[in-house]
Amino acid sequence: MLLPSRFRLLVAALLVASAPALAKGPTPSAPPAKALSQPRGKAQAGTPAPFTSVEGITEYRLDNRLRVLLFPDPTRSTVTVNVTYFVGSRHEGYGETGMAHLLEHLLFKGTPTTPNVPQALTQRGARPNGTTWLDRTNYYETLPASDENLRWALSFEADRMVNSFIARKDLDSEMTVVRNELEKGENDPSRILFQRVMSTAFLWHNYGKSTIGSRADLENVPIERLQAFYRKYYRPDNAMLVIAGAFEPQKALAEVQKTFGRLRKPAEPLPVTYTEEPTQDGERNVTLRRVGDVSALSAVYHVPEGAHPDFAASDVLTHTLGNAPSGRLYKALVETKKASSASASNFQLHDPGVLVFSAEVREGQSLDAARDALLKTVEEAARTPFTRDEVDRAKTALLKYVELMLNDSESAAIQLSEWAAIGDWRLFFLHRDRIEAVTAADVTRVAESYLKPSNRTLGQFIPTAKPDRSEMPARVGVAAMLEGYKGRGEVAVGEAFDPSPANIEKRVQRSQAAGLKLALLPKKTRGEMANVTFNLRWGTEKAVWGRGNAAEYAGMMLMRGTKKHSRQELRDAFDKLKARVGVDGSATGAGVWIEAPRQNLPEVMKLVAEVLREPAFDAKEFALLQEERLAALEAQRSEPGTQGRIAFSRALSPYPQGHPYYAKTLEESLASVKDTTLEQAQAFYREFYGASQGELAAVGDFDAEALQKQVSELFGGWKSPAPYARIPAQPYKTGTQALVLETPDKANALFLAGQGLGLRDDNPDYPALVLGNFLLGGGFLNSRLATRVRQQDGLSYNVGSSLSAGSLDAVGSFSTYAIYAPQNAGRLETAVREELEKVLRKGFTAEELEKARAGLLEYRRTGRADDGGLARTLATYLYYGRTLEFDAAFEKRMSELEPEEVRTALSRHLDWKKVTVVKAGDFAGAEKKAKAPVPTPPAP
């Protein structure tokens, strides 16, 4: 319930001015703003029938959907006309903060028939005002009761609904008035603190933006946007008219029909807001430092929308905690002299609002002690169940307010605006009935449900005599700043390179140096850059068995310092050389990739050799690395993506524990990171690292002869102490599995489905399989899976498939993957299965295949045009004993494929009945949400 309170008065409706202030001198008449005028129809014959009636207040609805409430009160000598528009700061867009309130001011600037609104109101003895709030804007005037005054008020309000000037000249003058209103609020630290708290509590919803708006928006909003805002929301089907006081209902209805009934409902649909604030998931804190004298605290907690049944208990809860002197906050803070005042209020709104608890702390009182007492009192309130006496006292006070307001028709006419904005004016009476039924158990339950630390946003104002802030400088003029700017000399452009397999083979130089296989492709590049890939290989399956953890650490320690350079010095050296370098190692070898300018490449190679041959294995760096790895792994414990991929790998993996290819659980990875020692990493390095076996490829701008010579010098005498034998891959497990992993409180789930394939990439079917997989789940949003799952069904942001085959062993795999909302698990799996089975059964069209083939071949061509990628390919092919003639033959075969060949190859190797399916996500949580009752929206 919207009760007067310190915070209510602090942030509630922004008033234009009192009646005397409106009595200004005559305003020059301005020409009618035709663009803003709304067509009028003929007045409707007769009067509307009552729509509903509650306790002496009757609602009518006109044909244009205007809601009309009549509240006759013959005991009054006045009549009040109140028009409420269901538009407030909740409806403002980007750059429009404060627009609803600014527009309210401009509606007092006149219409063609009433150019001087203040004068017209004053000469009739009116007490007028206008207010803007989060969900609504209202305009009212209370006049001496007479048929003529009522007739004039209705005519005036109907006129300003559609014909207000909203002129540039009025904006120019009124903007500074509103800005001064904003500046007035800026003087009050408690008000500013509350604004900061609300903006932190509401990260997305406009309830987090102050109704007064931002200074920049007020000063710069174009008049055209205000006019558009006016036309969009000021219309009969978005308004409610209340007439209360001394009047004759039938005469009043007839006048309403003559004035408002002439207005047409716009053809454009009324905009509807739909932003919902997500559930708060942790404490939020705000600190405000300004000049001031008294510290302040403000804590807000999200609660349901104002129409929710829980809000009656929330009202009682607010009173029992915040009332003085009986409230719990008063007793815990004020009586103990921890604070000079304490209060509570709530925002009962159209969308979920907040409960607000505040305190003021004088100089000499401990802000920390006050904060702790406030939070303890509020968040532990349910631990001391509310008593019947506490609840009855609160209910008595709240119900008294209702009864007194209903005895004051003028106040009721204005107050009903709030309830209509919440959802329906009748909620006022329903809410009263609900308050009467509230029990102590209800209050305790509501406190337990919403007054939680994770639902709290806490603000603290700390008076600061000389605030130290980072003021932003004036914005720069970019155009002026760049006028005449020429930059430096042109960068070396490089050559136009043909990335066809034939041309690459024509230019690549293969040789050996220091026992390493080399593939060098010098060419001119932009910026004279070169890319180098360097792979080293060592060990046998037996020799590295069970030593994978030490090998991982050994590889990770390489770039963390050498015997000559610390980790930072190493990084600085590579930066000065303008080089990007990566080095890593495993149980079976190490890899290096380099990107550097031609002139610096020799020095970069020297540093890389130092990294590989002289690592420091510093104990401090090892400890830091261990902490980093543990933190990274621990962060993945609850992640569905990580858990799903690990489960999928383990379901298909044939390797036993200890094997270098073994798929570890997350807990096993954590244990190995914790248990492996620096000495074990050093021992692995000593026993295996060396350049006895490996490949180096370079592509780009470099001196091939000089690089070959340098490789021999740097690595010729560095041999691995252990012999090397390739460890063959083993076939994936066969058989189907269906695994479901629960990852609570995760909004996104992972789907994986796949099977092992017993083939190498020289299998005759492989080109058809690659093309078929591209059609099924590759490309950019144009595959069968993407079209069905993302474009058509809207189930996933990222869906696709992958297919691989071994180059040396007949071991490959096929898998499909998707991310999705857990509640869509069944639909997603069905869609993926149906699309795969459809492809296996019907295949692809000739047009579909031709377009996909052209795209895939282009992807492969552009891949070879990337120097870094080409260097990696050349190095890998050295290991396989392969040239790019393999790619040429592969692409030739692909270019000859017919649709039926692709379908047949896919059918020969893929079978949904053989796939393993892994789903990881919060499926239990999704099921619980699905079973929760769906709230019924309030009636219009």
Side-chain angles (χ1 to χ4, degrees), residues 34 120 126 140 159 243 253 289 385 456 607 662 682 816 878 889:
K34 293 183 179 180
Y140 63 88
D159 187 32
I243 306 174
L253 271 180
R289 295 181 184 274
R456 175 223 307 156
L607 266 180
Y662 171 68
Q682 289 175 303
T816 61
L878 287 172

Side-chain angles (χ1 to χ4, degrees), residues 2 19 30 65 126 265 291 311 474 548 602 659 690 723 776 796-797 810 812 866 875 922:
L2 299 158
R65 305 305 295 163
K265 181 173 78 71
V291 173
F311 222 100
H659 193 284
L776 175 66
S796 176
Y797 172 78
D866 176 72
D922 187 7

Side-chain angles (χ1 to χ4, degrees), residues 648 651-652 732-738 752-758 812-816 829 833 836-837 840 905-918:
F648 186 72
L652 295 179
Y732 289 111
K733 292 179 183 176
T734 58
T736 60
Q737 297 185 58
L752 284 168
Q755 65 179 94
L757 302 176
S813 66
F814 165 77
S815 64
T816 61
E829 182 174 352
R833 174 179 53 78
L836 176 59
E837 290 178 342
L840 299 181
L906 290 171
S907 299
R908 191 160 30 241
H909 295 276
L910 306 186
D911 186 350
W912 186 265
K913 295 178 182 178
K914 296 180 180 179
V915 304
T916 287
V917 176
V918 173

Side-chain angles (χ1 to χ4, degrees), residues 246 491 573 670 841 884:
V491 176
L670 280 165
R841 188 174 64 254
L884 268 79

Side-chain angles (χ1 to χ4, degrees), residues 230-474:
Y230 173 61
R231 288 192 296 268
K232 184 186 295 185
Y233 292 108
Y234 279 64
R235 44 195 281 176
D237 58 335
N238 193 43
M240 182 181 76
L241 167 67
V242 181
I243 306 174
F247 65 93
E248 202 284 310
Q250 289 305 309
K251 282 185 179 180
L253 271 180
E255 290 298 333
V256 169
Q257 194 75 324
K258 289 177 184 177
T259 52
F260 286 95
R262 296 171 64 87
L263 305 180
R264 292 177 184 170
K265 181 173 78 71
E268 297 81 8
L270 190 66
V272 177
T273 62
Y274 44 80
T275 300
E276 293 187 9
E277 186 69 22
T279 300
Q280 187 166 328
D281 47 13
E283 301 91 327
R284 300 173 189 167
N285 296 284
V286 176
T287 299
L288 176 69
R289 295 181 184 274
R290 289 193 170 204
V291 173
D293 305 297
V294 177
S295 300
L297 295 166
S298 180
V300 305
Y301 300 79
H302 294 279
V303 290
E305 72 276 14
H308 195 280
D310 274 355
F311 222 100
S314 296
D315 253 349
V316 175
L317 173 64
T318 303
H319 192 280
T320 55
L321 289 175
N323 183 55
S326 64
R328 293 187 179 185
L329 283 173
Y330 187 89
K331 294 183 179 297
L333 279 88
V334 180
E335 290 186 358
T336 60
K337 297 186 177 180
K338 290 184 173 70
S340 58
S341 67
S343 62
S345 60
N346 62 57
F347 281 27
Q348 191 169 5
L349 302 168
H350 180 277
D351 295 343
V354 290
L355 298 185
V356 183
F357 303 95
S358 57
E360 288 186 337
V361 182
R362 296 178 57 225
E363 186 177 0
Q365 295 176 317
S366 169
L367 184 62
D368 290 345
R371 179 197 63 225
D372 294 344
L374 184 146
L375 296 181
K376 179 180 176 66
T377 303
V378 171
E379 293 172 5
E380 297 183 8
R383 296 187 186 179
T384 304
F386 290 89
T387 66
R388 182 173 180 178
D389 285 345
E390 285 180 298
V391 171
D392 286 348
R393 181 183 295 112
K395 289 167 62 174
T396 299
L398 294 167
L399 294 171
K400 176 194 74 172
Y401 168 74
V402 175
E403 185 172 349
L404 291 176
M405 198 198 76
L406 286 174
N407 290 334
D408 183 347
S409 57
E410 180 182 338
S411 296
I414 298 168
Q415 186 63 217
L416 288 174
S417 294
E418 308 296 345
W419 295 95
I422 291 171
D424 192 297
W425 63 273
R426 291 170 292 179
L427 287 169
F428 174 77
F429 298 97
L430 177 61
H431 189 67
R432 173 201 60 192
D433 299 344
R434 287 172 171 172
I435 287 175
E436 289 176 342
V438 167
T439 65
D442 292 331
V443 179
T444 301
R445 174 184 59 79
V446 166
E448 189 172 25
S449 298
Y450 304 114
L451 301 183
K452 299 177 179 180
S454 63
N455 192 33
R456 175 223 307 156
T457 301
L458 174 68
Q460 300 180 95
F461 167 58
I462 302 174
T464 305
K466 294 182 179 180
D468 184 13
R469 303 179 184 130
S470 297
E471 300 286 351
M472 292 298 102

